[in-house]
Amino acid sequence: MCAEIDPLNCHRAILVARNLSDQGFVVTHIVARNSGVEFQTQQDLEQRLLELYFKQQSFLGDELETAYQKHNKKIGYKK
């Protein structure tokens, strides 16, 4: 859905893919690497968000929601 190299920097991964995943769809992000193509699930992306903002390896309470909000502020559209 996007041309970003890293889905973590794509607002569609943060907004649309999250919603689709929450509805039960399996979302897979295609990541281009120098060594070829890599596939990441939405859950992989969520794990990266937690590690980025909370330096932890597991989902605890509202941290995931907070990580989504913080990252959306970072990469979202600004006027």
Side-chain angles (χ1 to χ4, degrees):
M1 293 191 312
C2 191
E4 295 288 344
I5 293 171
D6 185 349
L8 197 60
N9 296 322
C10 174
H11 70 282
R12 290 176 183 90
I14 301 301
L15 299 172
V16 178
R18 177 186 183 191
N19 187 277
L20 290 172
S21 182
D22 288 348
Q23 292 182 43
F25 290 91
V26 176
V27 178
T28 304
H29 303 280
I30 301 169
V31 183
R33 301 278 188 222
N34 289 336
S35 59
V37 175
E38 177 182 312
F39 299 95
Q40 294 179 357
T41 66
Q42 188 67 17
Q43 289 73 26
D44 294 333
L45 184 133
E46 290 176 347
Q47 183 63 45
R48 290 177 61 205
L49 278 172
L50 283 173
E51 291 169 4
L52 179 66
Y53 291 101
F54 294 99
K55 310 289 187 232
Q56 62 193 49
Q57 299 293 321
S58 61
F59 296 80
L60 300 171
D62 296 327
E63 285 92 345
L64 183 59
E65 178 65 28
T66 301
Y68 267 113
Q69 289 174 2
K70 287 182 177 187
H71 205 64
N72 190 47
K73 285 182 180 179
K74 180 180 176 182
I75 68 168
Y77 177 77
K78 298 171 183 67
K79 288 185 178 183

